[in-house]
Amino acid sequence: MTKINDRKTEIITVAAKLFKEKGYSAVTMRDIAQAMDIKAASLYNHIKSKQEILVLIIVEIAEEFTQTMDEVVHSEESTIKKIEKIIQLHIDITLRDANALACLNNDWMHLSDTELAYFIKMREEYEENFRTIIKKGIADNEIKNLNLEVIIFSILSTLRTLYLWYGKKKSPDSKTLTSNMIQVLLNGIVIH
Amino acid sequence: MTKINDRKTEIITVAAKLFKEKGYSAVTMRDIAQAMDIKAASLYNHIKSKQEILVLIIVEIAEEFTQTMDEVVHSEESTIKKIEKIIQLHIDITLRDANALACLNNDWMHLSDTELAYFIKMREEYEENFRTIIKKGIADNEIKNLNLEVIIFSILSTLRTLYLWYGKKKSPDSKTLTSNMIQVLLNGIVIH
């Protein structure tokens, strides 16, 4: 990787952390430069605007989610296996890049027109693909015939906000996290 | 209710909607006045600052959650019944006041020192009370012996972000929402 790309990665990393702490609107290019211990003018050598940073943070991760979901929905596996893969995808990205996920969740609405439309399209397709998976599971008698939206968003809400709590004091290790998350989301918590 | 209190309620309602749409930092007192079709100066007759509005929105709801959780944790009911009551609490507040919940979730970090500390204390106690309920459920052989944090936050994440999707096109009616949410969160989605 060239030095310029290293610098860009550093900007993105620092900015994602600041956006997470203070929110996109409250952070200035000057804040980002200060956190990197460089002059604001130097920052503009690498990046056009705060908006460009936001796009780099959010769109890259959204595309990663989109691509993996596409593979999963078109695979020949059982519904249970497909859901397990989606749980694993969210856990992997959370462990790797929690600040960027926070930024995606909190600040996506600050993307400008074209990028915003692209992001929303990806997000809707992701949810629609997840619906397709669950519908097939219900048809195949693998999944209970409950309301589709409740199923979809109970699972997605849990996965999308994992970054909010995972890593705090009482968190389990990543292996326990994965196996227990699959247990809780698929089989519930009640002993019958 | 006096006219002044009506006005205050209106300010809170309008502000919560604006905060939800643009985020607390991006909204000015002028924006709030404009949305109410009054002069900014008149706004200050009713409310000191944007911060006071934020406190009124967030703290009131946080206290409602705290109080009901206190009653539930000290009741003599089964763990399952306790969890069902907590699910119902979140659904009720979401149906009644989705904008305020959005504001609580997105903008709590913008509360100033004392109020922020008070809010964080309430939130931590809420989670701790929920842990107490689940621990007792595990001890009583009602709940599976899975990782406590995964159980707590799978349920709470789903309930806390219900306002994000409930009310959109494919949403079920509120009765279906409650019964299906209890099913999904307690018993899971897989047919064995």
Side-chain angles (χ1 to χ4, degrees):
Chain A
M1 205 184 264
T2 66
K3 204 183 159 191
I4 288 174
N5 277 340
D6 281 353
R7 208 57 167 164
K8 219 167 190 168
T9 308
E10 193 192 341
I11 294 169
I12 292 167
T13 308
V14 168
K17 189 160 174 283
L18 285 175
F19 293 164
K20 186 190 171 186
E21 284 162 9
K22 310 207 285 175
Y24 176 76
S25 303
V27 174
T28 63
M29 285 291 267
R30 190 179 293 268
D31 294 333
I32 298 167
Q34 214 158 48
M36 295 177 68
D37 206 17
I38 60 172
K39 292 206 171 115
S42 325
L43 195 54
Y44 287 100
N45 290 334
H46 302 284
I47 219 114
K48 268 200 310 256
S49 62
K50 202 170 71 159
Q51 178 64 215
E52 192 190 339
I53 301 176
L54 191 68
V55 171
L56 286 171
I57 295 172
I58 294 181
V59 171
E60 198 181 311
I61 284 200
E63 285 174 342
E64 187 178 349
F65 276 113
T66 302
Q67 200 193 320
T68 306
M69 178 59 102
D70 272 352
E71 289 163 20
V72 171
V73 78
H74 292 115
S75 74
E76 298 293 329
E77 288 162 320
S78 71
T79 298
I80 309 290
K81 263 271 160 278
K82 285 178 185 168
I83 301 171
E84 285 180 10
K85 285 208 166 166
I86 292 163
I87 294 172
Q88 189 66 62
L89 169 67
H90 283 263
I91 289 177
D92 287 345
I93 297 183
T94 303
L95 295 182
R96 196 193 67 207
D97 220 348
N99 288 340
L101 276 181
C103 178
L104 182 149
N105 259 320
N106 300 333
D107 294 319
W108 63 268
M109 67 290 280
H110 298 296
L111 289 168
S112 61
D113 294 354
T114 324
E115 302 292 346
L116 183 63
Y118 177 47
F119 174 78
I120 291 175
K121 189 169 156 279
M122 279 194 279
R123 199 170 174 101
E124 284 175 353
E125 280 176 8
Y126 192 86
E127 291 168 3
E128 198 52 37
N129 279 330
F130 202 4
R131 278 190 197 95
T132 304
I133 291 170
I134 300 295
K135 270 188 212 161
K136 187 172 184 313
I138 293 174
D140 291 350
N141 227 26
E142 278 190 77
I143 302 293
K144 292 176 190 166
N145 191 9
L146 295 166
N147 182 270
L148 205 53
E149 300 306 290
V150 175
I151 293 177
I152 296 295
F153 286 109
S154 293
I155 296 176
L156 278 185
S157 300
T158 300
L159 297 176
R160 282 174 173 169
T161 55
L162 176 58
Y163 74 90
L164 284 173
W165 67 270
Y166 189 70
K168 286 190 187 162
K169 266 184 290 180
K170 296 168 187 166
S171 302
D173 62 77
S174 64
K175 252 187 158 164
T176 309
L177 173 68
T178 302
S179 65
N180 280 249
M181 197 66 115
I182 289 171
Q183 271 292 314
V184 169
L185 295 180
L186 292 180
N187 302 318
I189 61 169
V190 169
I191 297 172
H192 291 282
Chain B
M1 204 183 269
T2 66
K3 202 183 162 193
I4 288 175
N5 278 342
D6 281 353
R7 209 53 165 167
K8 216 163 189 170
T9 308
E10 195 192 342
I11 293 168
I12 291 167
T13 308
V14 169
K17 190 160 172 284
L18 285 176
F19 293 164
K20 186 191 171 185
E21 284 162 9
K22 309 208 287 175
Y24 176 77
S25 303
V27 174
T28 63
M29 286 292 268
R30 188 178 292 267
D31 294 332
I32 298 166
Q34 213 160 48
M36 295 177 68
D37 207 16
I38 61 172
K39 291 206 173 115
S42 325
L43 195 54
Y44 287 101
N45 291 334
H46 303 285
I47 219 114
K48 266 200 312 258
S49 62
K50 204 171 69 157
Q51 179 64 215
E52 191 189 342
I53 302 176
L54 191 67
V55 171
L56 286 171
I57 296 172
I58 294 181
V59 171
E60 198 180 311
I61 285 200
E63 285 174 342
E64 186 177 350
F65 276 112
T66 301
Q67 199 193 318
T68 307
M69 177 59 101
D70 272 352
E71 289 163 21
V72 172
V73 78
H74 292 116
S75 74
E76 298 293 326
E77 288 164 317
S78 70
T79 299
I80 309 290
K81 263 271 162 280
K82 285 177 185 167
I83 301 172
E84 284 179 10
K85 286 209 166 164
I86 292 162
I87 294 172
Q88 190 66 61
L89 169 67
H90 282 263
I91 289 176
D92 287 346
I93 297 183
T94 303
L95 295 180
R96 196 192 68 207
D97 219 349
N99 288 340
L101 276 182
C103 180
L104 182 148
N105 259 319
N106 300 331
D107 293 319
W108 62 268
M109 69 289 282
H110 298 297
L111 289 168
S112 61
D113 293 354
T114 324
E115 301 292 348
L116 184 63
Y118 178 47
F119 173 79
I120 291 174
K121 189 170 154 280
M122 280 195 280
R123 199 170 174 100
E124 284 175 353
E125 280 176 8
Y126 192 85
E127 291 167 3
E128 199 51 38
N129 279 330
F130 202 4
R131 277 190 198 95
T132 303
I133 291 170
I134 299 295
K135 270 187 213 161
K136 186 172 184 317
I138 293 173
D140 291 350
N141 227 24
E142 278 191 79
I143 301 293
K144 293 178 192 166
N145 192 7
L146 295 165
N147 181 269
L148 205 54
E149 300 306 290
V150 175
I151 292 177
I152 297 294
F153 286 110
S154 293
I155 297 175
L156 279 184
S157 300
T158 300
L159 297 175
R160 284 174 173 169
T161 55
L162 176 57
Y163 73 90
L164 284 172
W165 67 269
Y166 189 72
K168 289 192 182 159
K169 267 183 290 180
K170 296 167 187 165
S171 302
D173 62 76
S174 64
K175 250 186 160 164
T176 309
L177 174 67
T178 302
S179 65
N180 279 248
M181 198 66 114
I182 289 171
Q183 271 292 313
V184 169
L185 294 181
L186 292 180
N187 302 315
I189 61 170
V190 169
I191 297 173
H192 290 283

